[in-house]
Amino acid sequence: MRPKIYLFGDSITELSFGEGGWGASLANHFSRSADVVLRGYSGYNTRWALKVIDKVFFPADEPLAVTVFFGANDACLPDRYGAFQHVPVDEYKQNLHSIVCFLKRRWPTTHVVLITPPPIDEAARLLNPYAENKLGLPERTNEAAGAYAKACLSVASECEAPAVDLWTKMQQFPGWQTAFLSDGLHLTQGGNRIVFEEVIGKLKEDGLSLETLPVDLPLFTDIDPNDPLKAFGN
Amino acid sequence: MRPKIYLFGDSITELSFGEGGWGASLANHFSRSADVVLRGYSGYNTRWALKVIDKVFFPADEPLAVTVFFGANDACLPDRYGAFQHVPVDEYKQNLHSIVCFLKRRWPTTHVVLITPPPIDEAARLLNPYAENKLGLPERTNEAAGAYAKACLSVASECEAPAVDLWTKMQQFPGWQTAFLSDGLHLTQGGNRIVFEEVIGKLKEDGLSLETLPVDLPLFTDIDPNDPLKAFGN
């Protein structure tokens, strides 16, 4: 059976098989060696994620790796229109810790990769067409997202899990606000590319790459044109 | 457990999670209701597919649906550089029949959707950089691909399985040679779009759509902002 890489997260995960999406790119990258399984839940924070985790991961279905990518919704401010998604940063940290522990307890050899929330472009959030914004203030700020990113990194360190510091990484590029974010929160193709490359990099550091993962059936280049059936044990 | 849709085929399937790919689009479409599982094997014909089918599909892993998309390699001409991939059309028909029977015998309720090979742009095949072409003639012709497409449709009819007649469908559009094919054989984003839409359509006719497939966990729109945890049975 091919090993599975689960992508567990919010809308940035759920949307990751859209055009140029980081999930689709992972599936394409591992097209002959691993199945990439989408478990993205738009709008979810870590509190809700913990409520459903038993229905997301089944005991018999041991993953090779899991990306855990929450925090963008937890970081909604408690006094703005996204307040019902808000989770205080201390609880976020505890919840994220519980998610990693749940996975590690069930499957000690599964690789868990944490991803911090992305930075926020507050100006673009004011144009969000999906919510009524009576206050005229952004429901997320970059500063708050940064606090959750920091908390995520600290959980990764406590759990000895690799982490992609997306919040910091993206802000290293001038113009990140529009190069990587389509609406101040979700990812452009460029933003998706960064997540893909960072995740591939972390998996590789953990020993999971095209070089190390076996291919389950003969590659075309391994088939002898003079005796093709030999490759199939004939 | 989420139901699974397997994509079984050659390189046009293996590449289907690339940018704008039909496989990625299917995974995106069913992001909350079905897992799309990639089983594409570049260069494979139906003879080789039959040799490996037992290692591709495991008895306990019943799929909701399977797309079977072979023929582009079988249709390589027997006297050109792709000859070792060639399978005579009568054997192709028999092999395809055996593949469908294998799936239907093992899982009588699994939906099997056949896809014919695409048309061939012979002029573009002459520019294929992956093979030495001493004869200076295309290794595939559109006429041959059409004969395999016809054989595929006849298997679909015998097996009472839905089929996407990609060969005919694409040629209904003027400029199909470059609009839908990137190298006279593989798909552009436009070509991928057609496969995606046709497959979605066949699945829908068979009763499999976003309207009929259950979502396993609460959608964001079903969560009450005044009492979010209610949606999670709290």
Side-chain angles (χ1 to χ4, degrees):
Chain A
M1 294 279 280
R2 273 198 206 175
K4 288 177 185 157
I5 300 172
Y6 276 78
L7 313 184
F8 186 37
D10 54 32
S11 57
I12 305 176
T13 297
E14 183 174 328
L15 298 170
S16 71
F17 280 72
E19 214 162 301
W22 64 277
S25 297
L26 278 172
N28 188 45
H29 183 78
F30 291 116
S31 62
R32 294 292 290 269
S33 48
D35 288 332
V36 177
V37 185
L38 181 55
R39 289 295 180 270
Y41 302 94
S42 283
Y44 279 42
N45 53 35
T46 53
R47 192 186 288 162
W48 307 350
L50 262 184
K51 293 275 176 200
V52 300
I53 195 166
D54 254 326
K55 292 177 187 154
V56 172
F57 297 100
F58 293 89
D61 233 7
E62 181 175 0
L64 175 68
V66 181
T67 59
V68 177
F69 191 174
F70 286 102
N73 297 316
D74 302 64
C76 281
L77 300 181
D79 56 354
R80 305 277 164 89
Y81 68 77
F84 74 105
Q85 292 168 277
H86 170 74
V87 170
V89 71
D90 286 341
E91 185 194 332
Y92 165 73
K93 208 171 145 180
Q94 205 175 324
N95 291 342
L96 201 56
H97 201 285
S98 300
I99 290 170
V100 178
C101 284
F102 172 96
L103 296 169
K104 284 288 189 186
R105 205 178 311 123
R106 185 171 279 182
W107 301 297
T109 61
T110 292
H111 300 261
V112 178
V113 178
L114 292 171
I115 307 173
T116 76
I120 294 295
D121 175 23
E122 292 160 30
R125 289 314 294 159
L126 288 175
L127 306 172
N128 177 19
Y130 297 107
E132 199 190 352
N133 187 351
K134 285 178 188 160
L135 288 173
L137 294 167
E139 89 295 9
R140 292 165 168 89
T141 62
N142 193 36
E143 188 188 354
Y148 287 73
K150 200 175 152 198
C152 173
L153 296 177
S154 120
V155 170
S157 167
E158 283 161 29
C159 299
E160 295 178 0
V164 173
D165 183 0
L166 197 61
W167 190 80
T168 300
K169 185 85 199 170
M170 285 189 163
Q171 293 183 78
Q172 287 167 352
F173 295 83
W176 59 267
Q177 292 90 339
T178 50
F180 300 145
L181 305 175
S182 60
D183 60 359
L185 164 67
H186 296 97
L187 309 181
T188 59
Q189 290 203 19
N192 272 289
R193 186 82 207 164
I194 289 196
V195 178
F196 165 66
E197 281 168 2
E198 290 291 316
V199 170
I200 288 289
K202 293 296 170 194
L203 292 175
K204 194 166 194 164
E205 281 170 28
D206 256 13
L208 307 181
S209 69
L210 293 185
E211 291 73 37
T212 60
L213 291 174
V215 163
D216 52 7
L217 291 170
L219 293 171
F220 188 52
T221 46
D222 296 333
I223 295 171
D224 179 358
N226 296 311
D227 186 5
L229 291 182
K230 200 173 56 186
F232 302 100
N234 196 37
Chain B
M1 293 280 278
R2 271 198 208 175
K4 288 178 184 154
I5 300 171
Y6 276 77
L7 314 185
F8 186 38
D10 54 32
S11 58
I12 305 176
T13 297
E14 184 175 328
L15 298 170
S16 72
F17 279 73
E19 214 161 301
W22 65 278
S25 297
L26 278 173
N28 189 45
H29 184 77
F30 290 117
S31 62
R32 294 292 291 271
S33 48
D35 288 332
V36 177
V37 185
L38 182 55
R39 289 296 179 270
Y41 303 95
S42 283
Y44 278 43
N45 53 36
T46 54
R47 191 186 288 161
W48 305 350
L50 263 183
K51 292 274 177 203
V52 300
I53 195 166
D54 254 326
K55 292 175 187 154
V56 173
F57 297 99
F58 293 89
D61 233 8
E62 181 175 0
L64 175 69
V66 181
T67 59
V68 177
F69 191 175
F70 286 101
N73 297 316
D74 302 63
C76 282
L77 300 181
D79 55 356
R80 306 278 165 86
Y81 70 77
F84 74 105
Q85 293 168 277
H86 169 76
V87 170
V89 70
D90 285 342
E91 185 194 333
Y92 164 74
K93 206 171 147 179
Q94 206 174 324
N95 291 342
L96 200 56
H97 202 285
S98 299
I99 290 170
V100 178
C101 284
F102 172 96
L103 296 169
K104 284 288 187 186
R105 205 179 313 122
R106 184 170 280 182
W107 300 296
T109 61
T110 292
H111 301 260
V112 178
V113 178
L114 292 170
I115 308 173
T116 76
I120 295 295
D121 175 24
E122 293 161 31
R125 290 314 293 160
L126 288 175
L127 305 173
N128 177 20
Y130 297 107
E132 199 189 355
N133 187 351
K134 286 178 187 159
L135 288 172
L137 294 167
E139 88 294 9
R140 291 165 169 91
T141 62
N142 193 36
E143 188 188 353
Y148 287 74
K150 199 174 153 197
C152 174
L153 295 178
S154 120
V155 170
S157 167
E158 284 162 29
C159 299
E160 296 179 358
V164 173
D165 183 0
L166 198 61
W167 190 81
T168 300
K169 184 85 199 173
M170 284 188 162
Q171 293 182 79
Q172 287 166 353
F173 296 82
W176 58 269
Q177 293 90 338
T178 51
F180 301 144
L181 305 174
S182 60
D183 61 358
L185 165 66
H186 297 97
L187 309 182
T188 59
Q189 291 204 19
N192 272 289
R193 186 82 208 166
I194 289 196
V195 177
F196 165 66
E197 281 169 3
E198 291 291 317
V199 170
I200 287 288
K202 292 297 171 194
L203 292 175
K204 194 166 194 165
E205 282 170 26
D206 256 13
L208 308 180
S209 69
L210 293 186
E211 290 74 37
T212 60
L213 290 173
V215 162
D216 50 8
L217 290 170
L219 293 171
F220 189 52
T221 46
D222 295 334
I223 295 171
D224 179 357
N226 296 311
D227 185 4
L229 292 182
K230 199 172 58 185
F232 301 101
N234 198 31

